[in-house]
Amino acid sequence: DAKTTQPPSMDCAEGRAANLPCNHSTISGNEYVYWYRQIHSQGPQYIIHGLKNNETNEMASLIITEDRKSSTLILPHATLRDTAVYYCIVRVGGGNQGGKLIFGQGTELSVKP
Amino acid sequence: GAVVSQHPSRVICKSGTSVKIECRSLDFQATTMFWYRQFPKKSLMLMATSNEGSKATYEQGVEKDKFLINHASLTLSTLTVTSAHPEDSSFYICSAREQSGEQFFGPGTRLTVL
């Protein structure tokens, strides 16, 4: 079973920041948090991942709480093309190189003009 | 990022036939490949994990004789849906992981069984 819970849907205005929350209260010490997104009828696309420190790349920022029980994905300036289902995933077993990605239900983000 | 391809992108077959789906990592060697299925408006469900040259490990509830997985090389894995029935109609997605641990997904294969 997935170790994450996310709100089923969120709206965001174009150009504004989208903040997507995720709870993973049963995460273990060496389990990483991954974020992927899936645009309709395509394969998931990697966004970002982290263990305990906050991370940033060209797509997004990942903020992980100190107790690691929750995290937030931030898309700083959402565009219409960011409309997708966003999956927060705890990589189970194997740290950052092994294990498997078990998908939860995700958050359907709608970016509106 | 690295590229994973799937072939075919969509297939329609008659009930009782077998269908093979190929998954290739195009510019890296995949130490491990994964197969997922996804029903409409649902999340991805992991079916099995395969390592090159060894038998696949299936998730609970997934019939290994129904969904045959072959991982013949570090760049190719195949999923064969044997004696397909309408309830096997789904979106099948493969994923390939390279040595660094990064994992990339293919574009998916839409299977429709009539």
Side-chain angles (χ1 to χ4, degrees):
Chain A
D1 288 346
K3 297 176 84 166
T4 59
T5 54
Q6 300 175 252
S9 63
M10 290 181 66
D11 288 344
C12 176
E14 188 179 17
R16 304 297 294 267
N19 296 285
L20 292 92
C22 178
N23 284 322
H24 31 79
S25 58
T26 61
I27 194 169
S28 298
N30 67 341
E31 290 176 336
Y32 282 70
V33 178
Y34 280 74
W35 284 82
Y36 282 78
R37 72 180 182 185
Q38 185 180 28
I39 295 167
H40 182 62
S41 292
Q42 297 181 25
Q45 176 192 21
Y46 167 81
I47 301 173
I48 201 167
H49 74 279
L51 182 62
K52 2 181 180 185
N53 298 325
N54 297 337
E55 302 288 344
T56 295
N57 62 20
E58 64 278 4
M59 286 183 74
S61 294
L62 174 60
I63 309 297
I64 303 175
T65 57
E66 199 167 329
D67 63 8
R68 303 214 319 125
K69 293 185 177 182
S70 65
S71 60
T72 302
L73 179 76
I74 302 172
L75 307 178
H77 306 286
T79 70
L80 299 178
R81 287 183 296 180
D82 292 323
T83 292
V85 179
Y86 286 76
Y87 293 100
C88 168
I89 304 163
V90 169
R91 188 156 171 169
V92 176
N96 193 27
Q97 293 190 312
K100 45 193 180 182
L101 299 176
I102 305 297
F103 285 71
Q105 296 309 306
T107 295
E108 187 165 7
L109 175 69
S110 296
V111 181
K112 300 185 183 300
Chain B
V3 178
V4 176
S5 71
Q6 283 184 240
H7 177 80
S9 58
R10 56 179 64 230
V11 56
I12 301 171
C13 70
K14 291 183 181 176
S15 191
T17 59
S18 293
V19 174
K20 182 187 282 190
I21 302 169
E22 288 187 352
C23 175
R24 292 181 187 272
S25 56
L26 296 186
D27 50 0
F28 67 99
Q29 292 190 325
T31 54
T32 307
M33 285 187 168
F34 305 85
W35 286 95
Y36 293 80
R37 70 186 294 186
Q38 185 175 32
F39 291 108
K41 298 195 180 298
K42 298 291 186 184
S43 184
L44 284 76
M45 185 194 81
L46 179 64
M47 299 174 68
T49 302
S50 76
N51 294 295
E52 184 255 343
S54 59
K55 287 185 181 179
T57 302
Y58 289 81
E59 295 296 306
Q60 194 171 8
V62 178
E63 298 176 60
K64 61 182 180 185
D65 295 329
K66 174 77 171 172
F67 299 101
L68 300 178
I69 291 170
N70 185 280
H71 193 159
S73 75
L74 285 172
T75 59
L76 173 64
S77 176
T78 59
L79 168 70
T80 302
V81 183
T82 61
S83 186
H85 290 285
E87 58 266 29
D88 299 323
S89 297
S90 191
F91 192 48
Y92 291 88
I93 306 171
C94 75
S95 180
R97 186 162 67 204
E98 59 175 8
Q99 219 163 10
S100 69
E102 289 193 73
Q103 189 165 332
F104 304 94
F105 286 79
T109 296
R110 173 107 23 224
L111 170 64
T112 303
V113 185
L114 303 176

